[in-house]
Amino acid sequence: MDKMKAISPDRLKRFAAAIAVIVIGVTLRLTGYEVGLPYGFVKYGGSLLWGVMVYLLVTVILPDRPRLQLFISVMIAVAAELLRLYHTPWLDEFRLTLAGALLLGRIFSVWNIVAYLSGIAAAATVDHVLTTRQQRP
C-alpha cells in the first residue's frame, strides 16, 4: 500500500475545477448564442476556458512541476489548433459531431491560439497565487 501514491487534496481540487470549467465551457458554447451573448464572448470565451481546462488537467497529471505544466499545456493547445489543418474523411466527419467540434474544433484560427494561451496564462497565474498563499505560514 505504501507504493501507491495517494491523490492529494490539491490534485482533487484541480480536477474538480477542471470539471467545473468543462461544464461552464460546454454550457457557454451550447447556450451562449441563444441567451443573446455576443459572438466573440461565446467563441473566444469557450476557447479561453478550453485553455484553462487543459492547464488544470495537466496540473493533475504532473503535480509540483509548474514549468513543465506550463510548457506541456502550451504545447497541447498549439498542437490541438494545428491539428485543424490536417484533414482526412474520418477526421472531418468526427469534427462535424458535437464531441468533435468541442474537442477538436473545425476551423484553424490564430485567434483561438491566443485565447487558449490567455486561458493557460490566467489559470497558471491564479494557480501560482493560490499555491504561494497556501505555503505562507
Side-chain angles (χ1 to χ4, degrees):
M1 187 73 169
D2 57 338
K3 289 185 180 182
M4 291 180 64
K5 189 174 184 179
I7 298 176
S8 72
D10 285 342
R11 289 172 81 183
L12 286 175
K13 288 177 190 174
R14 287 184 172 112
F15 185 72
I19 297 300
V21 168
I22 291 168
V23 169
I24 293 166
V26 169
T27 302
L28 177 64
R29 285 286 174 101
L30 295 180
T31 64
Y33 299 122
E34 292 174 11
V35 298
L37 295 174
Y39 171 81
F41 185 82
V42 175
K43 170 75 171 119
Y44 298 110
S47 295
L48 185 133
L49 290 170
W50 192 89
V52 171
M53 176 211 58
V54 167
Y55 177 80
L56 289 170
L57 292 175
V58 169
T59 63
V60 169
I61 295 166
L62 294 169
D64 305 321
R65 307 278 311 266
R67 288 188 179 137
L68 185 59
Q69 292 165 349
L70 195 57
F71 176 77
I72 289 177
S73 297
V74 168
M75 291 299 103
I76 289 170
V78 172
E81 194 64 24
L82 290 175
L83 181 62
R84 293 178 187 185
L85 296 171
Y86 180 71
H87 295 278
T88 63
W90 68 269
L91 190 56
D92 288 341
E93 281 184 43
F94 178 64
R95 286 183 176 124
L96 293 175
T97 67
L98 177 61
L102 291 172
L103 292 171
L104 300 178
R106 294 186 178 141
I107 300 168
F108 174 82
S109 170
V110 172
W111 293 111
N112 281 340
I113 294 174
V114 171
Y116 299 154
L117 298 181
S118 298
I120 291 167
T125 301
V126 169
D127 188 34
H128 175 73
V129 168
L130 293 176
T131 302
T132 304
R133 216 177 262 169
Q134 283 179 346
Q135 292 174 352
R136 289 187 194 157

Short mmCIF file of all heavy atoms in Angstrom, two decimals, residues 50 80 83-84 86-107:
data_model
loop_
_atom_site.label_atom_id
_atom_site.label_comp_id
_atom_site.label_asym_id
_atom_site.label_seq_id
_atom_site.Cartn_x
_atom_site.Cartn_y
_atom_site.Cartn_z
N TRP A 50 -11.23 26.52 -22.57
CA TRP A 50 -10.57 25.29 -23.02
C TRP A 50 -9.10 25.31 -22.59
O TRP A 50 -8.57 24.31 -22.12
CB TRP A 50 -10.71 25.15 -24.54
CG TRP A 50 -10.34 23.81 -25.06
CD1 TRP A 50 -11.16 22.73 -25.21
CD2 TRP A 50 -9.04 23.38 -25.50
NE1 TRP A 50 -10.46 21.66 -25.72
CE2 TRP A 50 -9.15 22.04 -25.91
CE3 TRP A 50 -7.80 24.00 -25.58
CZ2 TRP A 50 -8.07 21.31 -26.39
CZ3 TRP A 50 -6.73 23.27 -26.06
CH2 TRP A 50 -6.87 21.95 -26.46
N ALA A 80 -3.32 21.16 -30.70
CA ALA A 80 -4.74 20.95 -30.97
C ALA A 80 -5.22 21.88 -32.08
O ALA A 80 -6.01 21.47 -32.95
CB ALA A 80 -5.55 21.18 -29.70
N LEU A 83 -3.74 20.78 -35.43
CA LEU A 83 -4.40 19.57 -35.92
C LEU A 83 -5.57 19.90 -36.84
O LEU A 83 -5.93 19.13 -37.71
CB LEU A 83 -4.87 18.71 -34.74
CG LEU A 83 -5.55 17.39 -35.07
CD1 LEU A 83 -4.58 16.46 -35.81
CD2 LEU A 83 -6.06 16.72 -33.81
N ARG A 84 -6.13 21.09 -36.68
CA ARG A 84 -7.25 21.50 -37.53
C ARG A 84 -6.83 21.69 -38.98
O ARG A 84 -7.67 21.73 -39.87
CB ARG A 84 -7.86 22.79 -37.00
CG ARG A 84 -8.53 22.60 -35.67
CD ARG A 84 -9.07 23.88 -35.15
NE ARG A 84 -9.54 23.68 -33.78
CZ ARG A 84 -10.16 24.59 -33.09
NH1 ARG A 84 -10.37 25.77 -33.61
NH2 ARG A 84 -10.55 24.33 -31.86
N TYR A 86 -5.04 19.52 -40.51
CA TYR A 86 -4.93 18.16 -41.06
C TYR A 86 -6.33 17.64 -41.36
O TYR A 86 -7.22 17.68 -40.50
CB TYR A 86 -4.21 17.25 -40.06
CG TYR A 86 -4.05 15.84 -40.54
CD1 TYR A 86 -3.16 15.53 -41.56
CD2 TYR A 86 -4.80 14.81 -39.99
CE1 TYR A 86 -3.01 14.23 -42.01
CE2 TYR A 86 -4.66 13.51 -40.42
CZ TYR A 86 -3.76 13.23 -41.43
OH TYR A 86 -3.62 11.95 -41.89
N HIS A 87 -6.53 17.13 -42.56
CA HIS A 87 -7.86 16.67 -42.96
C HIS A 87 -7.82 15.26 -43.55
O HIS A 87 -6.99 14.97 -44.41
CB HIS A 87 -8.46 17.63 -44.01
CG HIS A 87 -8.71 18.98 -43.47
ND1 HIS A 87 -9.83 19.31 -42.75
CD2 HIS A 87 -7.95 20.12 -43.51
CE1 HIS A 87 -9.76 20.57 -42.39
NE2 HIS A 87 -8.63 21.09 -42.83
N THR A 88 -8.68 14.44 -43.02
CA THR A 88 -8.97 13.13 -43.60
C THR A 88 -10.49 12.99 -43.53
O THR A 88 -11.14 13.66 -42.71
CB THR A 88 -8.31 11.98 -42.81
OG1 THR A 88 -8.86 11.95 -41.49
CG2 THR A 88 -6.80 12.13 -42.74
N PRO A 89 -11.07 12.13 -44.34
CA PRO A 89 -12.54 11.99 -44.31
C PRO A 89 -13.08 11.63 -42.93
O PRO A 89 -14.05 12.24 -42.45
CB PRO A 89 -12.81 10.89 -45.33
CG PRO A 89 -11.67 10.98 -46.29
CD PRO A 89 -10.48 11.37 -45.44
N TRP A 90 -12.46 10.66 -42.27
CA TRP A 90 -12.99 10.23 -40.96
C TRP A 90 -12.82 11.33 -39.91
O TRP A 90 -13.69 11.51 -39.05
CB TRP A 90 -12.34 8.93 -40.49
CG TRP A 90 -10.88 9.05 -40.15
CD1 TRP A 90 -9.83 8.87 -40.99
CD2 TRP A 90 -10.33 9.41 -38.88
NE1 TRP A 90 -8.64 9.09 -40.33
CE2 TRP A 90 -8.92 9.43 -39.02
CE3 TRP A 90 -10.87 9.73 -37.65
CZ2 TRP A 90 -8.06 9.75 -37.98
CZ3 TRP A 90 -10.02 10.04 -36.60
CH2 TRP A 90 -8.64 10.04 -36.77
N LEU A 91 -11.71 12.08 -39.97
CA LEU A 91 -11.48 13.15 -39.01
C LEU A 91 -12.44 14.31 -39.25
O LEU A 91 -13.00 14.87 -38.30
CB LEU A 91 -10.03 13.62 -39.09
CG LEU A 91 -9.53 14.57 -38.01
CD1 LEU A 91 -9.72 13.98 -36.62
CD2 LEU A 91 -8.05 14.88 -38.24
N ASP A 92 -12.68 14.63 -40.51
CA ASP A 92 -13.63 15.69 -40.83
C ASP A 92 -15.06 15.31 -40.43
O ASP A 92 -15.83 16.14 -39.98
CB ASP A 92 -13.56 16.05 -42.31
CG ASP A 92 -12.28 16.81 -42.65
OD1 ASP A 92 -11.65 17.37 -41.73
OD2 ASP A 92 -11.92 16.84 -43.85
N GLU A 93 -15.40 14.03 -40.58
CA GLU A 93 -16.71 13.55 -40.13
C GLU A 93 -16.84 13.69 -38.62
O GLU A 93 -17.89 14.10 -38.11
CB GLU A 93 -16.93 12.10 -40.54
CG GLU A 93 -17.32 11.92 -41.99
CD GLU A 93 -17.61 10.48 -42.33
OE1 GLU A 93 -18.28 9.79 -41.52
OE2 GLU A 93 -17.15 10.03 -43.39
N PHE A 94 -15.77 13.33 -37.89
CA PHE A 94 -15.80 13.46 -36.43
C PHE A 94 -15.94 14.93 -36.03
O PHE A 94 -16.66 15.26 -35.09
CB PHE A 94 -14.55 12.84 -35.81
CG PHE A 94 -14.49 12.99 -34.32
CD1 PHE A 94 -15.43 12.38 -33.51
CD2 PHE A 94 -13.49 13.75 -33.72
CE1 PHE A 94 -15.38 12.51 -32.12
CE2 PHE A 94 -13.44 13.89 -32.34
CZ PHE A 94 -14.39 13.27 -31.54
N ARG A 95 -15.26 15.82 -36.74
CA ARG A 95 -15.34 17.25 -36.43
C ARG A 95 -16.76 17.80 -36.59
O ARG A 95 -17.09 18.82 -35.99
CB ARG A 95 -14.39 18.04 -37.33
CG ARG A 95 -12.94 17.90 -36.95
CD ARG A 95 -12.07 18.76 -37.84
NE ARG A 95 -10.68 18.71 -37.43
CZ ARG A 95 -9.68 18.36 -38.21
NH1 ARG A 95 -9.90 18.05 -39.48
NH2 ARG A 95 -8.45 18.32 -37.75
N LEU A 96 -17.57 17.15 -37.40
CA LEU A 96 -18.95 17.60 -37.60
C LEU A 96 -19.88 17.20 -36.46
O LEU A 96 -20.98 17.70 -36.36
CB LEU A 96 -19.50 17.07 -38.93
CG LEU A 96 -18.83 17.65 -40.19
CD1 LEU A 96 -19.37 16.97 -41.43
CD2 LEU A 96 -19.01 19.16 -40.25
N THR A 97 -19.42 16.30 -35.59
CA THR A 97 -20.22 15.91 -34.43
C THR A 97 -20.01 16.92 -33.31
O THR A 97 -19.04 17.70 -33.33
CB THR A 97 -19.83 14.51 -33.92
OG1 THR A 97 -18.50 14.56 -33.37
CG2 THR A 97 -19.92 13.46 -35.03
N LEU A 98 -20.90 16.91 -32.33
CA LEU A 98 -20.76 17.83 -31.19
C LEU A 98 -19.46 17.55 -30.43
O LEU A 98 -18.71 18.47 -30.11
CB LEU A 98 -21.95 17.70 -30.24
CG LEU A 98 -21.89 18.55 -28.97
CD1 LEU A 98 -21.83 20.04 -29.32
CD2 LEU A 98 -23.09 18.26 -28.08
N ALA A 99 -19.18 16.27 -30.18
CA ALA A 99 -17.94 15.92 -29.48
C ALA A 99 -16.71 16.36 -30.28
O ALA A 99 -15.76 16.91 -29.71
CB ALA A 99 -17.88 14.41 -29.23
N GLY A 100 -16.73 16.15 -31.57
CA GLY A 100 -15.61 16.55 -32.41
C GLY A 100 -15.42 18.05 -32.43
O GLY A 100 -14.29 18.55 -32.38
N ALA A 101 -16.52 18.78 -32.51
CA ALA A 101 -16.43 20.25 -32.52
C ALA A 101 -15.89 20.77 -31.19
O ALA A 101 -15.07 21.69 -31.17
CB ALA A 101 -17.80 20.85 -32.80
N LEU A 102 -16.34 20.18 -30.08
CA LEU A 102 -15.89 20.64 -28.76
C LEU A 102 -14.45 20.24 -28.48
O LEU A 102 -13.69 21.01 -27.87
CB LEU A 102 -16.81 20.11 -27.67
CG LEU A 102 -18.23 20.69 -27.66
CD1 LEU A 102 -19.09 19.94 -26.65
CD2 LEU A 102 -18.23 22.18 -27.38
N LEU A 103 -14.07 19.04 -28.89
CA LEU A 103 -12.72 18.55 -28.59
C LEU A 103 -11.66 19.05 -29.58
O LEU A 103 -10.56 19.42 -29.18
CB LEU A 103 -12.70 17.03 -28.56
CG LEU A 103 -13.46 16.38 -27.42
CD1 LEU A 103 -13.54 14.87 -27.63
CD2 LEU A 103 -12.82 16.69 -26.09
N LEU A 104 -11.99 19.03 -30.85
CA LEU A 104 -11.00 19.35 -31.88
C LEU A 104 -11.26 20.66 -32.59
O LEU A 104 -10.34 21.24 -33.17
CB LEU A 104 -10.96 18.23 -32.94
CG LEU A 104 -10.60 16.84 -32.44
CD1 LEU A 104 -10.65 15.86 -33.60
CD2 LEU A 104 -9.24 16.83 -31.78
N GLY A 105 -12.49 21.12 -32.59
CA GLY A 105 -12.82 22.31 -33.36
C GLY A 105 -12.90 21.98 -34.83
O GLY A 105 -12.62 20.86 -35.26
N ARG A 106 -13.28 22.99 -35.60
CA ARG A 106 -13.48 22.73 -37.03
C ARG A 106 -12.53 23.53 -37.91
O ARG A 106 -12.06 23.03 -38.92
CB ARG A 106 -14.92 23.06 -37.40
CG ARG A 106 -15.89 22.11 -36.73
CD ARG A 106 -17.30 22.33 -37.19
NE ARG A 106 -18.16 21.35 -36.55
CZ ARG A 106 -19.36 21.59 -36.10
NH1 ARG A 106 -19.89 22.78 -36.26
NH2 ARG A 106 -20.06 20.65 -35.53
N ILE A 107 -12.27 24.78 -37.57
CA ILE A 107 -11.52 25.67 -38.45
C ILE A 107 -10.31 26.22 -37.70
O ILE A 107 -10.43 26.68 -36.56
CB ILE A 107 -12.42 26.82 -38.94
CG1 ILE A 107 -13.60 26.25 -39.72
CG2 ILE A 107 -11.64 27.80 -39.80
CD1 ILE A 107 -14.69 27.26 -40.00
#
